[in-house]
Amino acid sequence: MPAPTISHVILTGALLILVFTVQVFYFYVVDNIWAEMVRRELKEIADYVADTIANLYFIVNATNTNPTSEKTLKLPLEIGGSGYSLQITFDQNNFAQTVKGELQGKSWFNVNSWLPPGLKVNTGKTETIESSARTVVAACQRASSNIYVWIAYKG
């Protein structure tokens, strides 16, 4: 009767290995789904800010005066249980390139949303926005032949 006992031990061992293997792959898949959801939400927020800046640019560009156009942004407090930051990236000539969003503590987890060409960043007013309950504004202003944009905390 040793054959049924050995086959029982082998099948029990195989079943335990299968359970632990499925568990490892399950956590791997769940982690990838979480990361993709967070990346999409962060991208949506960066797109929202970039689109708001583009709309402000179109409004300021349609006028003959030099107004400052400002819009309060409605941003979530956190994404996927983590804080995040937003900033306008610019080149050495202060031309705005993208709105960059990244999770705090995970700089490798970032997204970019492109801005319309020709905008300059007002480096004296723009800030890196971190998720908080503070009010955030996006703004645009024409000064002579340049149009300047920035995001900052209000007040």
Side-chain angles (χ1 to χ4, degrees):
M1 290 278 235
T5 305
I6 289 180
S7 64
H8 178 70
V9 170
I10 291 171
L11 290 176
T12 302
L15 185 60
L16 288 173
I17 290 171
L18 179 67
V19 167
F20 287 117
T21 304
V22 168
Q23 183 180 15
V24 168
F25 283 111
Y26 172 78
F27 287 128
Y28 176 74
V29 168
V30 167
D31 189 48
N32 283 343
I33 291 171
W34 175 86
E36 184 62 27
M37 287 174 41
V38 170
R39 185 176 308 280
R40 287 182 186 196
E41 190 171 352
L42 189 58
K43 177 68 171 160
E44 188 175 319
I45 292 169
D47 286 345
Y48 164 66
V49 174
D51 289 345
T52 300
I53 290 172
N55 290 338
L56 291 172
Y57 161 68
F58 293 135
I59 290 170
V60 167
N61 200 32
T63 64
N64 293 329
T65 61
N66 293 336
T68 298
S69 187
E70 187 176 280
K71 183 174 191 290
T72 301
L73 301 174
K74 297 179 192 308
L75 301 173
L77 294 177
E78 60 182 27
I79 298 174
S82 299
Y84 63 93
S85 63
L86 296 170
Q87 66 180 4
I88 299 176
T89 61
F90 51 92
D91 63 11
Q92 65 274 12
N93 296 323
N94 290 341
F95 282 102
Q97 302 293 313
T98 64
V99 173
K100 179 181 179 182
E102 67 181 40
L103 286 185
Q104 292 175 346
K106 298 177 184 171
S107 60
W108 53 268
F109 204 99
N110 61 59
V111 296
N112 288 304
S113 188
W114 291 96
L115 291 168
L119 299 175
K120 285 196 152 191
V121 176
N122 187 331
T123 56
K125 293 184 179 179
T126 196
E127 298 179 69
T128 297
I129 303 301
E130 295 183 355
S131 55
S132 68
R134 295 175 63 186
T135 304
V136 177
V137 295
C140 186
Q141 177 183 29
R142 183 195 329 242
S144 65
S145 62
N146 294 317
I147 295 183
Y148 292 93
V149 295
W150 63 92
I151 55 174
Y153 295 111
K154 187 169 186 151

